[in-house]
Amino acid sequence: NAGVTQTPKFQVLKTGQSMTLQCAQDMNHEYMSWYRQDPGMGLRLIHYSVGAGITDQGEVPNGYNVSRSTTEDFPLRLLSAAPSQTSVYFCASTEQGGEQYFGPGTRLTVT
Amino acid sequence: AQKVTQAQTEISVVEKEDVTLDCVYETRDTTYYLFWYKQPPSGELVFLIRRNSFDEQNEISGRYSWNFQKSTSSFNFTITASQVVDSAVYFCALSEARAAMDSSYKLIFGSGTRLLVRP
């Protein structure tokens, strides 16, 4: 099993550009989540999904969209990047009754 | 509202010292999970422990131990005989749970404690 994979590992965007952060898991987990990590603030939940076709907002959803068309994939879209979205993004999947498995993270810089 | 407070921003110890990382949480739920994660300098998040609100027994795993006290809403983490490899940022987190055995997929993280273990 590859676990939770995220691409790209690093990305630099200009203000106003759009992009999609990819997340995939091969553990057949129903639950997946996206977090952002900013210095001194820990991780904050952006969006989450409890199964294919079902998504909901977390603590800081503004500026981000998600969709869940398959169990395996949970992409995070930035429609118009802003400097405030400079952060490290972590995707996670959760097994039923178990722990969350985190991906390696994507470091995004918006200039 | 749920909240996790890690008041210690940074701790520095000398190798072989014992160190305790504090975690205080707030929740109105009667059923919840508490977690500790380690983030080494390489950046990944390493799961250390998950504890549900019905289990107040302390846990020991090698040099790591955890003290869960509902009465004070605390879930503290102690490293005994610290080593340089323990240097990392440690996060405490809280999750609601729909049922005692349900999954926890919406974590509320504390701001983390950076631990530096000097040789």
Side-chain angles (χ1 to χ4, degrees):
Chain A
N1 283 353
V4 180
T5 57
Q6 291 184 238
T7 55
K9 288 189 177 178
F10 301 95
Q11 182 71 49
V12 179
L13 290 178
K14 292 188 183 332
T15 297
Q17 287 185 317
S18 63
M19 81 158 295
T20 299
L21 307 185
Q22 302 291 345
C23 174
Q25 53 95 4
D26 60 359
M27 298 173 281
N28 203 33
H29 291 169
E30 288 298 317
Y31 305 136
M32 297 185 74
S33 313
W34 275 103
Y35 296 84
R36 60 177 287 173
Q37 181 179 17
D38 301 302
M41 298 189 72
L43 281 76
R44 292 180 292 168
L45 183 65
I46 305 172
H47 285 285
Y48 64 96
S49 169
V50 299
I54 307 170
T55 64
D56 205 346
Q57 296 180 351
E59 182 185 354
V60 288
N62 292 343
Y64 307 96
N65 279 354
V66 292
S67 59
R68 185 96 180 271
S69 55
T70 66
T71 299
E72 293 77 22
D73 300 299
F74 190 42
L76 178 72
R77 297 186 188 83
L78 283 71
L79 299 179
S80 179
S84 60
Q85 293 178 306
T86 293
S87 189
V88 180
Y89 291 85
F90 287 96
C91 178
S93 73
T94 307
E95 60 182 350
Q96 183 73 28
E99 66 175 270
Q100 279 204 350
Y101 294 83
F102 283 86
T106 294
R107 187 174 295 274
L108 175 67
T109 301
V110 183
T111 60
Chain B
Q2 296 182 320
K3 184 179 178 183
V4 176
T5 301
Q6 295 180 257
Q8 303 153 309
T9 305
E10 189 164 321
I11 301 175
S12 180
V13 300
V14 176
E15 206 170 19
K16 294 190 176 59
E17 284 186 16
D18 298 346
V19 58
T20 295
L21 309 182
D22 297 333
C23 174
V24 174
Y25 62 92
E26 296 174 29
T27 181
R28 292 180 184 165
D29 296 332
T30 55
T31 305
Y32 51 90
Y33 290 106
L34 294 164
F35 301 78
W36 277 94
Y37 282 88
K38 174 182 179 180
Q39 188 174 45
S42 51
E44 74 272 23
L45 285 159
V46 179
F47 168 83
L48 295 178
I49 190 171
R50 182 180 86 151
R51 174 55 50 87
N52 76 53
S53 52
F54 295 108
D55 183 2
E56 287 193 70
Q57 280 194 340
N58 292 332
E59 178 145 347
I60 299 174
S61 176
R63 296 184 296 108
Y64 295 169
S65 61
W66 290 269
N67 184 303
F68 177 29
Q69 292 198 337
K70 256 182 166 177
S71 60
T72 56
S73 297
S74 65
F75 187 44
N76 296 337
F77 173 33
T78 297
I79 302 175
T80 302
S82 60
Q83 300 176 1
V84 172
V85 294
D86 296 327
S87 296
V89 179
Y90 290 87
F91 291 100
C92 180
L94 167 69
S95 173
E96 65 182 26
R98 293 177 184 173
M101 293 302 294
D102 199 358
S103 293
S104 43
Y105 50 86
K106 294 166 60 179
L107 298 186
I108 305 295
F109 281 82
S111 55
T113 297
R114 182 177 300 277
L115 174 65
L116 175 63
V117 181
R118 308 188 308 276

